[in-house]
Amino acid sequence: ISFNAIDSALSSLKNCQSYINSGMDVATQVALDLVESFNDEEDVNSMEKVMLEYATMDRELNHYIKAFEETINQVKREKPENLPDLESLAQEKYREMESMNSDSDFQRNEKYMYFKDQLKEMKKQYHGNDTIEQIDEDIAVTRSQMNFICPITQMTMKRPVRNKVCGHTYEEDAILEMIQTQKQKKKKVRCPKMGCSHVDVKGSDLVPDEALKRVIDSQNKQ
């Protein structure tokens, strides 16, 4: 049996996935731009809907790819004398996966969760102080500026990354260098933020904190 046609169809589907990923990246940037320029809440919400549509398409594609891969593996394993109708077999598996869909699936979509997380951070940075007007403005500014300082370099961060596990931010180069140095000594890296109990910082747990970077950049321009 030649699976070439199916393999090329699968690689086309995987290409579509990379387009979806790029679209999600763009939608995230646009949503952050909207919050930064104090746009209408409705505009920001419409970007959330776009992200949800992307996440739904991504889930469908994943199921489609998985259904075809499982079907091919099954046929390769069983080696039937007569080739079954691969498409209807795959469609059946696909429908089975789709029937188990739930909203909680989106919590496994890293780009969607990153979008939600960054949007929340951005809103907090830009609109958070509205509710605490009674706090002395200088204190509020100082407090937010303390979040700009990297716990390793003790300098304002240029490329902040956030630890998904404990939520603390560091300068990207500084924390990666720290991880690399400790790795050579076969040791784990404790989170350098004072008082944090997280004792195993991994490079794979770090995500760019776009929201914080934007706030720092706009502070620097002032």
Side-chain angles (χ1 to χ4, degrees):
I1 300 166
S2 168
F3 292 102
N4 289 352
I6 292 172
D7 287 339
S8 78
L10 277 176
S11 76
S12 301
L13 286 176
K14 286 173 183 172
N15 271 345
C16 289
Q17 254 178 332
S18 70
Y19 291 131
I20 289 175
N21 283 336
S22 305
M24 289 178 104
D25 290 340
V26 171
T28 302
Q29 295 300 327
V30 171
L32 297 182
D33 285 344
L34 290 170
V35 178
E36 194 172 356
S37 51
F38 293 93
N39 270 50
D40 198 14
E41 185 72 17
E42 214 170 293
D43 293 338
V44 179
N45 290 343
S46 69
M47 291 317 296
E48 271 203 69
K49 289 192 188 108
V50 169
M51 282 299 279
L52 201 52
E53 281 168 25
Y54 272 131
T56 308
M57 286 194 298
D58 188 59
R59 176 175 66 186
E60 281 175 19
L61 256 181
N62 276 330
H63 286 167
Y64 218 77
I65 291 168
K66 200 172 167 194
F68 265 99
E69 286 176 340
E70 282 182 9
T71 305
I72 292 167
N73 289 337
Q74 185 183 334
V75 172
K76 283 178 178 171
R77 253 197 334 269
E78 294 169 2
K79 298 188 180 68
E81 279 178 33
N82 301 318
L83 185 63
D85 183 345
L86 290 178
E87 193 171 337
S88 60
L89 269 178
Q91 286 287 2
E92 199 179 310
K93 284 183 192 290
Y94 170 73
R95 281 194 294 272
E96 198 179 305
M97 290 175 196
E98 283 285 296
S99 69
M100 291 159 76
N101 284 350
S102 84
D103 287 349
S104 64
D105 299 341
F106 300 127
Q107 288 170 1
R108 289 196 294 275
N109 185 311
E110 281 204 10
K111 288 204 181 280
Y112 181 68
M113 294 313 288
Y114 179 69
F115 167 83
K116 300 275 283 183
D117 174 62
Q118 288 289 289
L119 199 57
K120 191 177 83 185
E121 284 300 310
M122 198 73 173
K123 284 177 176 174
K124 204 159 73 183
Q125 298 281 3
Y126 277 87
H127 307 298
N129 289 345
D130 301 352
T131 48
I132 45 171
E133 284 154 328
Q134 66 272 27
I135 291 187
D136 185 314
E137 210 169 283
D138 291 342
I139 296 176
V141 170
T142 316
R143 188 180 300 169
S144 68
Q145 281 174 345
M146 278 163 59
N147 299 333
F148 301 170
I149 305 293
C150 168
I152 306 164
T153 63
Q154 294 302 315
M155 288 161 74
T156 302
M157 291 180 273
K158 290 187 177 71
R159 288 205 311 217
V161 289
R162 185 137 53 93
N163 191 328
K164 290 190 287 188
V165 181
C166 62
H168 293 126
T169 44
Y170 333 99
E171 180 64 61
E172 185 177 27
D173 291 346
I175 189 68
L176 291 178
E177 192 183 319
M178 203 171 169
I179 291 170
Q180 193 52 39
T181 307
Q182 292 297 83
K183 194 178 172 183
Q184 285 163 355
K185 299 178 188 168
K186 295 190 167 45
K187 286 183 178 175
K188 290 179 179 179
V189 173
R190 190 186 183 97
C191 172
K193 184 81 176 174
M194 227 169 80
C196 181
S197 57
H198 182 48
V199 292
D200 189 9
V201 179
K202 294 186 177 78
S204 55
D205 291 331
L206 305 173
V207 290
D209 198 331
E210 178 69 26
L212 183 59
K213 183 182 185 306
R214 283 166 180 251
V215 181
I216 293 171
D217 290 347
S218 73
Q219 282 286 113
N220 289 341
K221 280 178 198 152
Q222 283 171 19

